[in-house]
Each structure stands twice: as C-alpha cells, then as structure tokens.
Amino acid sequence: MSMRLPAIAVMLLLPLFAGCARLGYYVHLAGGQIALLSARQPIERLIDDPATAAPLRERLSAVREARAWAAQRLGLPANGSYTAYADLQREYVAWNVFATPELSLEPLEHCFPFAGCVAYQGYYALDKAQARAHELREQGHDVYIGGVPAYSTLGWFDDPLLSTMMRWDDATLIGTLFHELAHQKRYVRDDSAFNESYASFVEQQGLREYLAQHPQVSPPDEMARGRRTQFVQLVLAARQRLEDLYTLPLDAGTMRVRKAQEFARLKTQYERLRDTAWGGDTRYDAFFADDAPNNARLLPFGLYDEYVPAFALLFERADRDWARFHEAVERLSKLNAETRRAQMESLLRRRLPE
C-alpha cells in the first residue's frame, strides 16, 4: 500500500484551504492526516503475522468479516477503507472544539472547500485544541472540547481502523464501521443533520441485521444504551428551553441568570435520575465537571439522530431493500436544502410507530 500518493494529495489541497482560514491550521491538519496514513498496516498482514497479539488478531478478523458483509449486504463502498489498521498510541485520534456565543446556541461554524461547514474545529493534538479553546473563551464564547475516536475522510483517502476504536465492544465497533462507510456512500455539503442521521440509521439497521446473522457477536449493552437515551433526552429538553430563552427580549444580565438556572435544573434532573432509576451509575457525571453553564457542551447532542425515524420510514417504503433505499437517499441528497428539509420533516410526521 503506497503512503506517498495520499500525502501528496493532502499537500495539493493546502493552497485551496489556505484561502478560507489560517494556513497554519491546515498545515496542522495535513500533518496529522499524513501521520495517520503513514501509521497504517494492512489488516491481512497483521492477521497472518504470528507476532500479532491474539486479541488484536481476533478483532481484526471480525472487522474484516464485517467489512466484506457491509459491502455485499448493505451496499456500502467496497474500497480500501478499513482494510488497514493504525496504532496511534493516544486516547483519541483528534479533538473537536465546539463554541457558541455566550447567549446563543448557534455554533461557530468552520467551512471547508469539499466537506462544507461543520459546527466544530478539529485538531490532531490536544494542546492545540486547548490553545484554540482558550482563544475563544477570551473572546467571550462558550467552549467545549470533545475527544474523537473515529472519523471519515468521506472517501478522499482509505481510512484505517484506529486503535482509538478498539476500546469498544465488537457490536459498537462494527456499528461504527457501518456509520463511517455510510458517510462515504452519501454526504451532503452543509447538512450535518441529514448526513449524521443517515449514517446513524445505516449503523443501527445494519447492526441489527448483522447481529441476526452472526449470533456469535455479543449485542451492545442495552442498559447502557437505554441510559444514554435517557440522558440525551434530558439534554435536548434543556437545549430547547435555552433556545426559547435566548429569543426573549431580556437584558444580558437577566439572561445570564436564567441561563444558569436552566443548567442547574438539568443537573438536578440528572442527579435525581442517577440516584434513583440508575442506582447510582455515575457515567455522565463528567458532563457537569465544569460548574460554569456552557452552551457549547450541548452542541453535539441530537446531531446524530434527528432524522433517524425518517430514514427508517424511507427504508420500509423501499421494502427494506438496501439498493432501493440508497437510491431514495440519493434523490433526497440532490434536492436544495430547503426542499430536502421539508421532505425530511414530512417523513418525520409520518414516522413508524415506536
């Protein structure tokens, strides 16, 4: 596998990037991507290598099988992505910096020539993410840094399986593989809700079908998934209350007080749920580690599942045929943003019963 061509490709893109943001930032992105690609080792070679630890060999074999199945059964790209493994020797592959104004939930977006605009700025080094977060706080913004265990280059490069993904159970790992490949199958500029909901539906439905055909793979922890859903619902409700608050004709001082009250309410609701129904499970305590109310912490929530029920209905209308489903998604992706959103909202109103 050649490492030279991807590196050259990244460097050729730099002049384009430099016109829309600081050159230094894009040099950092290019360097991080080159380092990641250079760390790749073919999965087939690692599986055949007797020096490869048995647990890693087993997981790589599971990924190889799931990768082939996804191409054949789900109609996902049969390219070079996830046919190699990269040991990054760190906890996350990247860190995303989310930011909003103090009294707004509108994200500070960052735009790229090919991927469009996203609600964060990514870094391959934690110290650089922290430095950028400090700059934004000094400007008066709410800021949050989130670790990223996996991402897709949307087919520009052959994405490897990452060591940062190996902490997950097999079901989560395989589901994430389907999710990232779905981004390579279909991606619409400047429409994160559509892109992430589509990929999440492919992940969820694909995993259900895969587990049904591969009973040796343990299913995901349903209790953990249920608690995740409950927590997300609390956060989304708080976000809606804050969105309503920020539209009111109030002075900044009053708005800050009301904002703090809403975050305090969210914390109280979580602690009640944690200490009663969850039996003291503290897995989401870290969300409240910083006592300062922070809009940016709310941004990642809901991004991945807003239109999942709409895609589920679309799948049923395609008679659960993946080729027909992808064709329907492609037709939606070619609509202008306003028409596409209207059609997605229409599908939501006709969603399947829970």
Side-chain angles (χ1 to χ4, degrees):
M1 179 183 302
S2 171
M3 304 301 171
R4 185 176 181 81
L5 288 178
I8 292 173
V10 174
M11 296 308 293
L12 287 175
L13 293 176
L14 275 176
L16 297 176
F17 292 148
C20 61
R22 297 175 303 170
L23 178 59
Y25 173 63
Y26 288 105
V27 170
H28 166 72
L29 290 188
Q33 183 66 40
I34 290 168
L36 186 153
L37 296 176
S38 299
R40 294 178 300 181
Q41 300 180 70
I43 284 177
E44 292 289 348
R45 185 187 303 165
L46 288 170
I47 291 174
D48 293 340
D49 187 348
T52 301
L56 177 59
R57 181 183 296 109
E58 291 172 3
R59 303 212 76 193
L60 294 178
S61 296
V63 166
R64 179 178 60 180
E65 181 176 2
R67 178 73 183 82
W69 184 90
Q72 181 179 24
R73 178 70 184 91
L74 305 182
L76 295 178
N79 54 25
S81 289
Y82 309 110
T83 61
Y85 173 72
D87 186 352
L88 301 181
Q89 302 290 318
R90 59 181 186 265
E91 185 178 8
Y92 294 106
V93 60
W95 289 263
N96 286 339
V97 179
F98 297 88
T100 70
E102 180 189 9
L103 299 174
S104 171
L105 281 163
E106 288 298 316
L108 273 64
E109 291 191 328
H110 300 273
C111 300
F112 301 84
F114 302 104
C117 298
V118 294
Y120 54 82
Q121 193 168 8
Y123 292 86
Y124 285 102
L126 178 57
D127 61 341
K128 291 187 178 295
Q130 291 170 332
R132 179 56 178 158
H134 177 74
E135 291 176 0
L136 291 166
R137 290 191 188 98
E138 289 294 303
Q139 296 170 19
H141 297 300
D142 281 11
V143 182
Y144 169 64
I145 300 175
V148 180
Y151 71 94
S152 171
T153 60
L154 309 180
W156 284 97
F157 305 108
D158 290 339
D159 297 321
L161 183 72
L162 303 174
S163 56
T164 52
M165 303 164 65
M166 304 303 274
R167 73 188 77 170
W168 298 325
D169 58 63
D170 283 347
T172 302
L173 178 61
I174 290 168
T176 302
L177 184 76
F178 298 163
H179 184 107
E180 301 301 343
L181 285 169
H183 282 312
Q184 296 187 18
K185 179 75 174 183
R186 188 64 53 207
Y187 185 89
V188 181
R189 281 176 58 95
D190 304 328
D191 198 339
S192 293
F194 182 89
N195 295 328
E196 294 298 346
S197 296
Y198 162 66
S200 290
F201 172 75
V202 173
E203 171 186 349
Q204 295 167 18
Q205 180 61 30
L207 184 60
R208 279 191 287 268
E209 295 184 19
Y210 190 80
L211 293 176
Q213 296 181 21
H214 299 80
Q216 75 277 13
V217 178
S218 298
D221 185 335
E222 291 302 325
M223 179 180 290
R225 288 164 68 97
R227 291 178 179 177
R228 164 77 179 171
T229 298
Q230 289 179 299
F231 182 70
V232 169
Q233 289 172 344
L234 287 181
V235 173
L236 291 180
R239 190 169 74 180
Q240 185 59 60
R241 293 194 300 270
L242 285 163
E243 286 180 346
D244 294 341
L245 169 64
Y246 295 145
T247 65
L248 298 178
L250 301 174
D251 63 84
T254 302
M255 194 82 76
R256 290 187 185 99
V257 171
R258 294 278 298 274
K259 171 185 175 182
Q261 290 172 343
E262 287 298 344
F263 276 96
R265 176 181 176 183
L266 173 60
K267 185 176 182 181
T268 298
Q269 291 175 331
Y270 163 69
E271 289 174 344
R272 185 183 304 119
L273 181 64
R274 178 196 65 192
D275 298 338
T276 55
W278 291 6
D281 185 342
T282 61
R283 72 183 65 204
Y284 293 108
D285 279 12
F287 181 86
F288 302 96
D290 183 355
D291 292 333
N294 192 325
N295 295 322
R297 283 184 178 272
L298 307 182
L299 288 182
F301 289 86
L303 177 66
Y304 286 77
D305 51 18
E306 180 179 356
Y307 292 136
V308 168
F311 283 110
L313 179 57
L314 204 65
F315 186 66
E316 294 299 326
R317 288 182 174 179
D319 296 326
R320 304 175 68 84
D321 180 277
W322 282 99
R324 290 177 56 194
F325 169 73
H326 289 307
E327 289 171 359
V329 173
E330 182 178 9
R331 287 193 294 271
L332 283 169
S333 73
K334 294 183 181 302
L335 300 174
N336 65 60
E338 183 177 351
T339 303
R340 182 171 57 252
R341 183 168 184 83
Q343 293 209 14
M344 297 306 295
E345 294 293 341
S346 177
L347 286 167
L348 279 182
R349 290 192 292 271
R350 295 169 172 79
R351 64 195 298 171
L352 297 169
E354 299 290 343

